[in-house]
């Protein structure tokens, strides 16, 4: 168990200027330019990261290509690769608290959640894919006797992984684990506002014995580093988690360059549906509150739309508001904090603007709605509940990515299904009911990649995670994630 004094010992630890990682070397940008890294906890300057250029990014892509072509990684015996990745997981574990605190200082997630969801889940994910390396077989096709069809699984080549700021280690590991386990080379581009723990994670991969050039990291702006990756003729696959707008640009860049595959996880507007027959409505209210307000709503699967059966609407919302009021928002490095900081001032302004628009369109501000703790110099917002939200309101249709819950009543199961499916998104959802048949019907009818039943959040690496509709395509986690990182090759023999 981590105690507060261990965290406090690390909270002001100086962070040296950061480096790019290219071809196994830590280096500055060729231009010498850097970006300031500002802490969302207090607005203070934490350190600098290199402002990666087109030239830096191309150097990283070439290093990754060379590493792939000369087979220094994919040519190793699977058991040897497994050993290196397990050693990496071990080093991450040995540095777990350092990584968690560094990440929180950089992105603002409450430490209780960060410990589990960041290094905690990243370690489990790297281990899961490491252990899979020597358990993945090719196939023999069921052909006629005079021929033989072998199906090989081959690494695809150079993977560009573009990562957001809400859970950099967890989402980074979801991409790096299977990409590297499959034998690919990677160029990793962290978010501008949450790169520090990922840089450290990559340094530890080198220490674990990952050969130079197999994992490269280029920090910098999306419109420079990201665009160079997406337009490259030498990147084979892009794996991305972030906004729909950027996802669209990636698809356009792919079409305009080498038609590289793009696997996109683009957020959601997930419906959490509460029926009157729910066994424990207090528990449903508490879990639903956590399902939208933890990490200040900066969770792609957050249950940001509450659909509640009209007969219990008023009581349930009152109970939920009680749960929201009890959430301790504040210092992300305090173990008792339940919702930390908003990652950056632009996001905070966006959250507050959504609250304004919601009211202007006819919604009622039922709870919260304000920026708080301004004296810290950091970016904090109250858990916010908007009721009387109609299906076509902006707050019912657009992802806020903040602690803002939109509440809409429904009359019956058919109405709940229709409302649940009434957005362009399809990432996640939740259903609360004590009727087993209804639960299964709802799982079938909700057009999303994940449906939680009588809970919200929490699945581990063993199950796939991905969206339908405009929430994206492809899956992170589970063995299904390998589908993005392997090519199938048929070998056809005449016997
Ligand atoms: P968010 O709203 O979560 O910041 P973004 O899509 O802007 O969503 O950012 C997610 C990641 O995508 C970040 O690493 C960011 O730098 C990167 N990114 C932003 N713009 C582009 C772009 N034009 N091309 C490629 N990557 C980009």
């Amino acid at each position: 168990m981590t105690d507060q004094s261990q965290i406090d010992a690390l909270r002001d630890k100086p962070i040296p200027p950061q480096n790019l990682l290219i071809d196994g070397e830590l280096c500055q940008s060729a231009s010498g330019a850097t970006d300031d890294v500002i802490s969302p906890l207090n607005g203070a300057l934490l350190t600098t990261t290199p402002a990666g250029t087109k030239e830096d990014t191309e150097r990283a892509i070439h290093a990754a290509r060379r590493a792939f072509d000369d087979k220094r990684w994919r040519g190793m015996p699977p058991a040897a690769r497994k050993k290196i990745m397990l050693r990496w997981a071990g080093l991450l574990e040995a540095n777990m608290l350092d990584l968690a605190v560094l990440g929180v200082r950089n992105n603002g997630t409450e430490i209780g959640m960060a410990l589990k969801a960041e290094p905690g889940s990243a370690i489990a994910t790297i281990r899961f894919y490491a252990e899979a390396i020597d358990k993945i077989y090719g196939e023999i096709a069921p052909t006629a006797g005079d021929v033989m069809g072998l199906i090989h699984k081959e690494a695809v080549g150079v993977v560009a992984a573009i990562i957001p700021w809400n859970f950099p280690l967890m989402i980074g590991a979801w991409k790096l684990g299977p990409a590297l386990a499959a034998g690919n080379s990677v160029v990793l581009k962290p978010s501008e506002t949450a790169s520090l723990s990922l840089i450290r994670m990559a340094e530890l991969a080198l220490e674990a014995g990952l050969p130079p050039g197999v994992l490269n990291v280029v920090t910098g702006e999306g419109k420079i580093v990201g665009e160079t990756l997406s337009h490259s003729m030498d990147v084979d696959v892009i794996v991305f988690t972030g906004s729909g707008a950027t996802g669209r640009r990636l698809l356009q860049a792919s079409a305009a360059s080498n038609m590289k595959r793009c696997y996109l996880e683009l957020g959601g507007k997930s419906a959490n549906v509460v029926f009157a027959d729910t066994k424990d409505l207090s528990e449903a209210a508490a879990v639903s509150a956590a399902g939208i307000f933890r990490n200040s709503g900066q969770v792609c699967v957050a249950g940001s739309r509450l659909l509640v059966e009209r007969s219990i609407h008023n009581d349930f919302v009152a109970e939920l508001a009680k749960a929201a009021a009890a959430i301790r928002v504040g210092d992300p490095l305090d173990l008792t904090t339940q919702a930390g900081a908003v990652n950056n001032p632009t996001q905070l302004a966006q959250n507050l603007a959504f609250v304004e628009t919601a009211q202007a369109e006819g919604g009622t501000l039922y709870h919260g709605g304000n920026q708080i703790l301004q004296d810290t110099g950091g970016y904090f917002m109250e858990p916010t509940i908007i009721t009387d939200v109609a299906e076509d309101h902006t707050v019912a249709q657009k992802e806020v990515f903040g602690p803002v819950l939109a509440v809409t009543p429904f009359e019956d199961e058919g109405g709940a299904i229709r409302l649940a499916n009434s957005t362009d998104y399809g990432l996640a959802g939740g259903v609360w009911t004590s009727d087993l048949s209804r639960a299964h019907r709802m799982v079938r009818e909700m057009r999303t990649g994940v449906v939680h039943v009588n809970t919200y959040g929490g699945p581990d690496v063993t199950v796939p995670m991905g969206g339908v509709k405009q929430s994206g395509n492809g899956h992170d986690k589970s063995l299904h994630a390998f589908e993005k990182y392997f090519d199938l090759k048929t070998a056809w023999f005449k016997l």
Side-chain angles (χ1 to χ4, degrees), residues 162-165 189-192 220-223 226-227 230 240-243 246 249-250:
I162 302 180
I163 310 297
W165 44 256
K189 189 237 169 283
S191 163
E192 291 86 328
E221 288 186 44
K223 62 176 188 285
E227 291 279 338
S230 65
F240 171 75
T241 298
S243 66
T246 303
R249 293 183 73 88
L250 295 174

Side-chain angles (χ1 to χ4, degrees), residues 277-444:
D277 65 10
T278 299
K279 191 162 152 224
D280 185 343
L281 284 166
S282 299
E283 149 118 350
V287 174
S288 299
I292 173 64
F293 299 129
R294 66 205 162 122
N295 200 17
S296 296
Q298 302 166 133
V299 179
C300 41
V301 297
S304 55
R305 281 186 301 147
L306 175 71
L307 307 182
V308 54
E309 194 161 352
R310 192 177 293 278
S311 61
I312 57 162
H313 174 275
N314 292 355
D315 289 347
F316 190 77
V317 174
E319 183 91 17
L320 193 105
K322 246 199 287 167
I327 289 175
R328 282 186 298 274
V329 183
D331 176 10
L333 287 172
D334 185 327
L335 274 168
T336 64
T337 292
Q338 293 167 305
V342 174
N343 177 260
N344 61 76
T346 310
Q347 182 65 52
L348 177 59
Q350 214 167 289
N351 296 348
L352 297 169
F354 266 107
V355 175
E356 292 276 307
T357 306
Q359 292 176 89
E361 290 179 348
T364 303
L365 181 57
Y366 188 93
H367 181 83
N370 299 303
Q371 180 182 1
I372 50 171
L373 304 172
Q374 285 94 328
D375 56 335
T376 60
Y379 323 124
F380 296 90
M381 182 171 170
E382 291 174 295
T384 298
I385 300 173
I386 317 252
T387 53
D388 302 315
V389 175
E391 177 183 340
D392 61 347
H393 287 182
T394 305
V395 76
Q397 292 294 329
K398 302 276 178 225
E399 183 178 51
V400 178
F401 219 59
V404 179
L405 178 66
V407 185
T408 306
F410 66 83
E411 310 298 336
D412 54 22
E413 193 177 308
I417 291 166
R418 201 189 55 72
L419 277 174
N421 291 334
S422 68
T423 75
D424 291 335
Y425 289 109
L427 189 59
V431 181
W432 295 84
T433 178
S434 54
D435 178 338
L436 190 60
S437 300
R438 165 176 276 165
H440 283 292
R441 281 196 301 273
M442 291 297 292
V443 169
R444 282 192 182 164

Side-chain angles (χ1 to χ4, degrees), residues 57 61 157-163 175 179 185-189 225-226 228-230 232 234-240 250 260-261 263 485:
T57 312
I61 295 168
V158 175
V159 174
I162 302 180
I163 310 297
K175 323 277 191 209
S185 300
V186 178
V187 180
L188 178 76
K189 189 237 169 283
V225 179
T228 306
L229 291 168
S230 65
S232 170
D234 223 8
V235 168
D236 300 292
V237 182
I238 292 219
V239 286
F240 171 75
L250 295 174
K260 59 182 69 61
R261 302 182 200 167
Y263 296 105
Y485 305 104

Side-chain angles (χ1 to χ4, degrees), residues 31-189:
S31 72
T34 58
D35 292 317
D36 288 346
V37 180
I38 304 296
S39 176
L41 280 60
N42 50 22
L45 177 67
L46 281 177
T47 183
T48 59
T49 47
T53 60
K54 185 165 192 273
E55 187 195 345
D56 298 321
T57 312
E58 282 171 350
R59 219 157 59 77
I61 295 168
H62 293 151
R65 174 59 60 192
R66 274 196 307 277
F68 186 77
D69 286 348
D70 71 16
K71 302 190 191 158
R72 68 187 79 163
W73 174 240
R74 70 185 161 116
M76 270 187 200
R81 282 193 284 129
K82 177 168 85 169
K83 204 165 163 191
I84 290 173
M85 285 191 64
L86 286 175
R87 202 180 300 139
W88 184 22
L91 286 172
L92 291 167
E93 194 157 38
N95 288 273
M96 183 159 170
L97 190 59
D98 263 312
L99 282 163
V101 173
L102 183 66
V104 167
R105 291 170 72 192
N106 195 180
N107 87 335
T109 299
E110 57 277 8
I111 186 78
M113 173 174 227
L115 278 163
K116 280 188 241 136
E118 280 285 276
S121 111
I123 293 158
T125 300
I126 299 299
R127 280 212 174 106
F128 179 88
Y129 290 107
E131 284 161 0
I133 290 179
D134 55 1
K135 296 168 192 70
I136 293 173
Y137 292 77
E139 295 166 19
I140 301 178
T143 57
D146 60 340
V147 290
M148 189 189 318
L150 300 183
I151 303 167
H152 294 269
K153 290 180 179 163
E154 294 190 337
V156 182
V158 175
V159 174
I162 302 180
I163 310 297
W165 44 256
N166 56 337
F167 293 104
L169 289 184
M170 178 175 81
I171 296 174
W174 288 352
K175 323 277 191 209
L176 292 178
L180 293 172
N184 298 285
S185 300
V186 178
V187 180
L188 178 76
K189 189 237 169 283

